Structures are given as structure tokens and as C-alpha cells.
Amino acid sequence: IYQSKFTWEDQNGKTVHLSQLRGQPVVMAMAYTSCQASCPMIMSDLKAIEAKLPADKKQQIRFAIFSFDSVVDVPKHLKAFSEKQEVDTTRWNFFHGSVAAVQELAALLGVRVRRLKDGGFDHSNVISILDRDGVLIHQQKGLRQPPDESVAVLLKSGGYSLEFFRVHGPRQIIL
């Protein structure tokens, strides 16, 4: 995923390449701020994952929300949304990208999305976990799923993909 050439803007207006997320496991989802249906539940599910993480591990995990809405969800709206969500923005980022960037990321994550006539979006509800190098290691599909499996993947893998272990062999890795 980090090989994408598209840039995104975070809630502070800073331009970011996906590769800049490298170095920490990332729990990510796609949503949009004006959604009144499933997106609030996606946010709740993300917060449930965060809440289940041991305190000493939370600082080592990054959360990233990528907006479907390239028109409305500009940085100032994302900043207001992040404040409303009451999340730690040293670990949580909200991103705005071009239509092409959104389409590419959705395709890379296997997230189905379609713009509706009323301006909203019909989309699948997926939380993805990337390892330190941007390799997809887990997906939580659906809404209001128990966070236990996602948390276990984060803790057991230490943020490393199975490919890492195939290349480097089994070893004790402490997150």
C-alpha cells in the first residue's frame, strides 16, 4: 500500500505520502464525516480496538481514517471531526485525498465504494491493519464486531506481517 504515488492531506493540512506511515502498525478505515449510518459505527469499532490495547502498547499503534468524500472532507472539516471524536491526534490522523487517490486506496484495501445521487456514499465497512511496512495483515469486516481478533493480531504480530517471519525466520519480537 505504501507504494502509492498519491498524496493525501491530514486534518492539519499537511501533505502526506502513504509511505510516511511506515514504521508503526496502522489501524485504518475509510469513512466520511457527514455519514449518518455506518461511519459512526466504524469510528466506534476503531475506538473499541484502541480501548482493548494495553496502555504500554497504545503509543506504538497509529490510527488512520481516509475519507471517501474528496469534496467536503477538506482538512478543516477533518480537524473539526477529529476534535468531535475526542481522539488523541498524536496517534490518530484523518486524511483527505483526490478522487483518484480514494479510488486507488479503496481498491488496494478491497473496500467497495459508490457515490450516491444525494452526495453520500454506499461503501463496505472494513477496518484494515497494516504492518510496519504497509503490508495488509488483517481485516475486520462488518460493523460492531468484537475487537479481540484485531487486537490479538496487533499484539501477536508486533506489527510484522507473516511475510516478515517467512523471510527472517521465527524470533522473539517485542512491540
Side-chain angles (χ1 to χ4, degrees), residues 46-140:
L46 288 163
K47 290 177 181 179
I49 292 169
E50 180 185 42
K52 286 274 191 168
L53 290 168
D56 64 324
K57 303 294 186 206
K58 285 183 184 181
Q59 292 301 321
Q60 300 167 25
I61 309 291
R62 179 177 240 156
F63 288 79
I65 312 304
F66 292 84
S67 177
F68 290 118
D69 196 336
S70 297
V71 175
V72 174
D73 285 343
V74 294
K76 74 175 185 176
H77 285 133
L78 294 175
K79 184 154 185 84
F81 184 76
S82 70
E83 291 167 357
K84 181 180 175 185
Q85 292 299 315
E86 298 179 343
V87 294
D88 178 354
T89 55
T90 64
R91 293 181 298 103
W92 286 71
N93 289 97
F94 297 80
F95 296 97
H96 161 268
S98 67
V99 171
V102 170
Q103 289 172 341
E104 180 192 62
L105 184 60
L108 289 169
L109 295 174
V111 173
R112 181 191 48 77
V113 60
R114 178 175 58 97
R115 181 120 194 165
L116 301 172
K117 290 179 183 176
D118 67 3
F121 295 85
D122 178 32
H123 59 88
S124 49
N125 303 301
V126 179
I127 294 173
S128 300
I129 298 176
L130 307 181
D131 75 0
R132 298 166 187 261
D133 294 317
V135 176
L136 182 64
I137 58 174
H138 176 73
Q139 287 191 310
Q140 179 175 302

